[in-house]
């Protein structure tokens, strides 16, 4: 099984942990727009791996669960070592992102010579309505927290949809040291510190019938960011 | 407990936490752990061999008026220090295991899919 090069620019990196209920539909949607896809099965306990093998998608499998940050780290390392593609796109396995918006972000990056385009739920008022109230407030608080403690001036602190240029990944992002959900702060911080041009891009998140990250997990992320190495 | 004793207690706790954090990136964490054990073991031995002199001097040093309080003081500091060191050790081990998992998974994908590194 080798990667075809229909889309010559980007590799979609999907980190999946116990996503048997969503992964098939997510991949079907993504395949309509992108041909280069790598799924990182992060030690799933359910039949995610069997499904991935059945779907004949390129897969890297962790023998134990190491966290989403670790999975993205693996995906980005694969992107650098085993492909010549120009962009990597991080994409959530739970189907919350829209592949067409990923494509729009990629085109936006190309057109404007950007090294990173980061999805944001807060740039379009229409998209804001779809975010549950508690989640919206938590994300806003997280943005303020990152602004104060890390000087990261982004509207959406933890959006998983990102378009990342090879140069940025190679010179600034890899290795990702935070294996847990705190990787989002690390990636944002590294992008801001790199001084390479980047932009935010309005995207919406599909929350209906999806197993989203618990809002209370923000406590874990905050404490981890305070205690761990930066 | 005097204000001096409270200050010493706070300083010792912060110091032990900071040391565990600073040494976490190196193998010195093992040395730190051994130093802590040797320090407290020596103190225990001295308190048995020379109970009056040790307990009095330690109590004075810590700013604690009663001898029994100094034992409690040392017990709490010892517990916290060991906790800090062990927690840091677990975090470091966790990072190493996860890095290993990443490395193995990347090696396997090359073998299985036959993808040629550029």
């Amino acid at each position: 099984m080798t990667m075809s090069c229909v889309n010559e620019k980007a590799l979609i990196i999907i980190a999946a942990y116990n996503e048997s209920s969503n992964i098939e539909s997510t991949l079907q949607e993504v395949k309509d727009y992108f041909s280069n896809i790598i799924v990182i099965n992060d030690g799933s306990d359910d039949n995610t791996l069997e499904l991935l093998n059945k779907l004949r998608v390129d897969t890297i499998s962790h023998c134990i669960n190491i966290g989403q940050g670790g999975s993205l780290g693996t995906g980005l390392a694969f992107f650098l070592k085993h492909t010549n593609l120009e962009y990597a796109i991080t994409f959530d396995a739970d189907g919350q992102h829209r592949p067409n918006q990923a494509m729009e972000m990629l085109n936006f990056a190309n057109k404007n010579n950007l090294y990173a385009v980061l999805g944001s739920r807060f740039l379009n008022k229409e998209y804001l309505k779809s975010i549950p109230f508690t989640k919206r407030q938590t994300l806003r608080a997280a943005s303020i927290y990152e602004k104060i403690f890390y000087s990261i001036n982004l509207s959406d602190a933890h959006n998983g949809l990102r378009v990342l240029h090879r140069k940025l990944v190679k010179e600034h992002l890899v290795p990702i040291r935070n294996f847990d959900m705190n990787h989002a702060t690390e990636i944002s911080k590294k992008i801001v510190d790199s001084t390479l041009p980047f932009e935010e891009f309005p995207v919406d998140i599909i929350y209906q019938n999806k197993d989203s990250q618990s809002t209370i997990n923000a406590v874990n992320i905050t404490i981890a960011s305070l205690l761990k190495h930066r | 407990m005097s204000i001096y004793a409270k200050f010493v207690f706070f300083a010792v706790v912060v110091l032990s936490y900071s040391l565990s954090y600073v040494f976490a990136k190196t193998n010195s964490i093992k040395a730190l752990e051994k130093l802590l054990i040797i320090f407290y073991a020596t103190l225990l031995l001295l308190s048995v061999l020379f109970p009056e002199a040790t307990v009095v001097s330690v109590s004075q040093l810590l700013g604690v008026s009663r001898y029994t309080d100094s034992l409690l003081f040392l017990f709490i500091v010892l517990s916290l220090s060991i906790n800090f060191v062990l927690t840091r050790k677990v975090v470091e081990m966790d990072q190493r295991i996860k890095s290993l998992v990443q490395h193995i998974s990347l090696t396997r994908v090359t073998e299985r899919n036959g993808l040629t590194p550029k």
Side-chain angles (χ1 to χ4, degrees), chain A residues 185-203:
Chain A
T185 307
E186 182 187 338
I187 291 174
S188 302
K189 176 72 177 159
K190 284 177 172 175
I191 291 170
V192 171
D193 289 350
S194 73
T195 67
L196 293 170
F198 72 94
E199 290 279 348
E200 286 189 285
F201 192 89
V203 295

Side-chain angles (χ1 to χ4, degrees), chain B residues 99-111:
Chain B
S99 299
L100 188 65
V101 169
Q102 279 188 318
H103 181 76
I104 291 169
S105 64
L106 281 165
T107 313
R108 274 185 180 172
V109 80
T110 311
E111 288 168 354

